[in-house]
Amino acid sequence: MYKNRKTSEAPSLEDLYSNIIKLKDSMNDKRLDFDLPKDHCIRITGNYLVGFLEGDGSFYLNKHDMTVRVSLVTLTANKLVLEKIREFILNLLDEYSYILGSTTKLININEKKTKGNNKPISILEIYQIDFICNILIPFFDNIEFRTKKYKGYRDFRIIAFLILEGKYLTEKGKQLIIKLGDSMNNNRLSTNSNPSILDETSKLELELLIKSKPLICIDSEGRAIVINENKYIRSTYIIKVNFLNGSFSYFTNGVSCAKSLHVSNDTITKRLNDRNPVKNKEGIIVAQSIKRIKAYSSLKTSS
């Protein structure tokens, strides 16, 4: 409009400036019309996702429960974009992981009311550690970050694997992880009045922590165990039930499997461990076998 202001078809300068200001006042957070054409297609790619993260996303450590989280924020009017991103991320999964991820709260999308006249926002969050380390991080590693957000991602990556391996279970390890978390994102900026920077001693200690032996291991069935306590703390698997007629079904937990087969949850646990046929109270075999199948172990393209 401004470029063509001197052409014969242009309105008066007063009208031109008025039109430009009117258009400007309808942009960004003053925009009211979010209706898209009926044939509009939202196409998510890896670069689009990382670009979104660099602009309206965050990688952070929750120091209270020692979990890491990836989040994306947008106006609720644009919630459909988050839903499409959720679909895109789920499609990175293999068949078994997809069953678990699509039926559980692996990728949460929640709405949040804002104060005053601010428009409501929607937040996509991911905090399942096995999924983050085995699926999301390898995916991000193959895409180029173009802003300072990469430094935050680099720290986040280190923290995520330290937590996956249980390095936070020692007081020293927990302190180092928190110290690295405190140096992430805006805490490291020169504009911060009190920037948090790791000293050389902390850097050396962090390197030793990274190289130290894991305190948590993941077995072949997707169960995480604290090694020195021989204690299971989480699991990422689905249950496959093989029936006598050759058919099969999948379940995301023992409770739903037990209800379907009309047996107790204890029976399901025992049969998962010994692989014997599942029998009901009358002694009738209701399933030839059941087994755990590990989920979130690798990207679909590399599985």
Side-chain angles (χ1 to χ4, degrees):
M1 290 166 67
Y2 184 77
K3 179 181 178 181
N4 297 327
R5 67 190 184 281
K6 294 181 179 179
T7 65
S8 58
E9 297 178 359
S12 66
L13 285 180
E14 183 178 350
D15 290 339
L16 174 67
Y17 295 154
S18 176
N19 290 338
I20 290 176
I21 292 173
K22 183 179 179 180
L23 181 59
K24 176 181 175 297
D25 285 343
S26 67
M27 292 170 59
N28 303 324
D29 59 352
K30 296 179 180 179
R31 180 180 170 192
L32 298 176
D33 180 14
F34 289 90
D35 292 333
L36 296 172
K38 291 182 180 180
D39 59 348
H40 179 76
C41 178
I42 298 175
R43 189 171 67 90
I44 307 299
T45 65
N47 286 321
Y48 180 97
L49 176 56
V50 169
F52 199 141
L53 271 166
E54 290 185 300
D56 294 302
S58 64
F59 302 101
Y60 64 97
L61 167 70
N62 186 323
K63 295 183 285 186
H64 300 292
D65 59 9
M66 294 305 290
T67 59
V68 288
R69 303 199 175 199
V70 181
S71 70
L72 290 168
V73 180
T74 188
L75 293 176
T76 298
N78 293 328
K79 183 180 177 181
L80 180 59
V81 176
L82 297 185
E83 292 173 353
K84 291 296 182 181
I85 288 175
R86 181 178 183 273
E87 290 178 11
F88 175 82
I89 295 174
L90 286 174
N91 282 327
L92 299 175
L93 300 174
D94 60 68
E95 177 189 359
Y96 306 122
S97 300
Y98 184 89
I99 292 171
L100 184 61
S102 62
T103 55
T104 59
K105 294 183 178 180
L106 173 66
I107 306 172
N108 291 305
I109 299 177
N110 299 309
E111 295 183 17
K112 181 179 179 181
K113 294 182 179 180
T114 54
K115 296 180 180 180
N117 295 324
N118 294 324
K119 298 175 182 177
I121 59 175
S122 291
I123 304 173
L124 180 151
E125 280 192 314
I126 304 170
Y127 48 83
Q128 208 291 327
I129 189 65
D130 302 85
F131 174 80
I132 287 174
C133 290
N134 297 329
I135 306 296
L136 213 54
I137 286 177
F139 180 75
F140 287 150
D141 282 348
N142 289 316
I143 300 175
E144 182 182 1
F145 285 73
R146 297 179 179 274
T147 70
K148 66 179 178 63
K149 184 76 74 174
Y150 176 71
K151 293 183 178 180
Y153 168 69
R154 183 182 57 195
D155 294 340
F156 171 85
R157 189 182 191 281
I158 293 172
I159 291 172
F161 281 105
L162 288 174
I163 290 176
L164 180 73
E165 295 179 348
K167 304 294 179 65
Y168 64 92
L169 293 174
T170 67
E171 189 58 34
K172 182 63 177 179
K174 182 177 180 179
Q175 290 176 1
L176 284 171
I177 292 172
I178 289 175
K179 187 175 289 188
L180 178 58
D182 286 342
S183 70
M184 286 174 60
N185 304 322
N186 292 336
N187 292 325
R188 61 155 44 97
L189 298 180
S190 58
T191 52
N192 192 316
S193 59
N194 186 28
S196 178
I197 302 174
L198 289 182
D199 55 42
E200 291 303 316
T201 300
S202 295
K203 289 180 180 178
L204 290 174
E205 291 176 335
L206 190 60
E207 288 181 11
L208 291 175
L209 182 66
I210 293 171
K211 295 176 182 178
S212 64
K213 293 182 179 180
L215 301 179
I216 290 176
C217 69
I218 315 296
D219 69 15
S220 60
E221 295 183 328
R223 295 175 294 178
I225 183 172
V226 179
I227 297 172
N228 65 349
E229 298 179 8
N230 197 31
K231 175 184 176 183
Y232 290 108
I233 59 170
R234 69 174 184 275
S235 61
T236 52
Y237 62 78
I238 64 170
I239 298 172
K240 182 178 182 180
V241 177
N242 294 300
F243 297 103
L244 294 173
N245 62 3
S247 64
F248 56 86
S249 294
Y250 295 111
F251 299 89
T252 57
N253 56 67
V255 174
S256 60
C257 181
K259 286 183 178 179
S260 176
L261 298 181
H262 303 290
V263 298
S264 69
N265 196 38
D266 287 341
T267 296
I268 294 299
T269 301
K270 291 176 182 178
R271 298 296 82 84
L272 283 170
N273 292 333
D274 62 26
R275 301 293 179 87
N276 290 327
V278 181
K279 298 180 180 180
N280 61 19
K281 291 181 179 180
E282 289 73 33
I284 300 173
I285 296 177
V286 293
Q288 182 64 47
S289 65
I290 59 175
K291 67 175 182 178
R292 301 181 183 93
I293 299 179
K294 186 177 182 180
Y296 310 151
S297 59
S298 63
L299 281 166
K300 179 170 63 177
T301 54
S302 59
S303 61

